[in-house]
């Protein structure tokens, strides 16, 4: 069964059913097709990465500048910290309760992981920072309201 066409002049080279020129031509076609497939996949990957980075940038800008600064300082996003401590809302009591539980469970003396314990600590620090940012924002809003009320009277 022959997949490649035989050379026109097979009688001149009886032991070679296929001509070297044809073989080189088909090899070049296979290489070109392979490069095209890889190129398309690479282009799609770049497009997806660009779209993901744009979405992340929009999420960061909507989260606020203070929160973004806290993320860059702690190296952990607010969402990641909430996932680590298994929280959906920022409630100080719930943060403390989950922190204490996860810290104890991951203690090395009870067979836990120091790495996970440190992630729990960093997550609590990040959430505490976020709570401080919220308190500061509320204080600024109250001060603005008070100053507006003072100027009206």
């Amino acid at each position: 069964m022959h997949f490649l066409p035989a050379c026109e002049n097979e009688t001149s080279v009886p032991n070679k059913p296929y001509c070297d020129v044809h073989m080189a031509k088909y090899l070049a076609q296979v290489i070109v097709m392979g490069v095209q497939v890889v190129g398309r996949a690479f282009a799609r990957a770049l497009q997806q990465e660009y779209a993901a980075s744009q979405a992340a940038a929009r999420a960061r800008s909507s989260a606020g500048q203070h929160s973004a600064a806290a993320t860059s300082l702690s190296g952990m996003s607010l969402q990641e910290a909430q996932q680590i401590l298994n929280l959906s809302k920022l409630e100080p009591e719930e943060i403390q309760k989950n922190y204490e539980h996860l810290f104890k469970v991951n203690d090395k003396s009870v067979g836990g992981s120091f790495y996970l314990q440190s992630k729990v600590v960093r997550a609590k620090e990040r959430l505490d920072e976020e709570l401080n940012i919220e308190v500061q924002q509320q204080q600024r809003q109250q001060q603005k309201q008070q100053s507006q009320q003072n100027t009206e009277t």
Side-chain angles (χ1 to χ4, degrees):
M1 178 179 243
H2 296 289
F3 292 106
L4 299 174
C7 289
E8 291 81 21
N9 191 1
E10 285 186 25
T11 57
S12 64
V13 185
N15 293 336
K16 285 187 160 183
Y18 305 110
C19 191
D20 288 338
V21 173
H22 286 203
M23 191 64 83
K25 175 183 170 186
Y26 289 112
L27 182 61
Q29 287 177 345
V30 168
I31 290 171
V32 167
M33 288 174 61
V35 167
Q36 287 175 342
V37 168
V38 170
R40 282 189 214 114
F42 184 71
R44 264 189 252 118
L46 281 177
Q47 288 173 340
Q48 290 173 350
E49 184 60 32
Y50 180 74
S53 70
Q54 292 297 318
R58 283 191 298 276
R60 279 192 305 271
S61 67
S62 67
Q65 293 177 342
H66 294 293
S67 185
T71 297
S72 67
L73 287 175
S74 68
M76 183 180 292
S77 70
L78 177 61
Q79 291 79 16
E80 183 182 4
Q82 286 178 306
Q83 286 177 343
I84 290 171
L85 291 181
N86 194 25
L87 299 168
S88 57
K89 296 179 183 176
L90 291 180
E91 297 173 357
E93 298 83 21
E94 193 71 20
I95 291 171
Q96 188 64 33
K97 183 181 110 183
N98 288 8
Y99 165 75
E100 288 174 359
H101 170 71
L102 290 170
F103 190 84
K104 288 176 187 174
V105 167
N106 288 300
D107 192 0
K108 200 166 186 169
S109 65
V110 294
S113 165
F114 179 73
Y115 173 76
L116 291 177
Q117 194 177 40
S118 68
K119 287 296 253 184
V120 168
V121 171
R122 298 294 165 254
K124 181 171 185 317
E125 289 174 350
R126 175 63 178 92
L127 294 174
D128 287 344
E129 184 62 31
E130 193 67 27
L131 288 173
N132 288 338
I133 290 169
E134 287 182 4
V135 166
Q136 290 173 356
Q137 288 175 344
Q138 288 173 354
Q139 288 174 347
R140 280 191 220 116
Q141 287 176 349
Q142 289 174 352
Q143 289 173 352
K144 278 184 182 180
Q145 290 173 352
Q146 288 175 352
S147 65
Q148 288 174 351
Q149 290 173 353
N150 291 341
T151 56
E152 291 174 359
T153 55

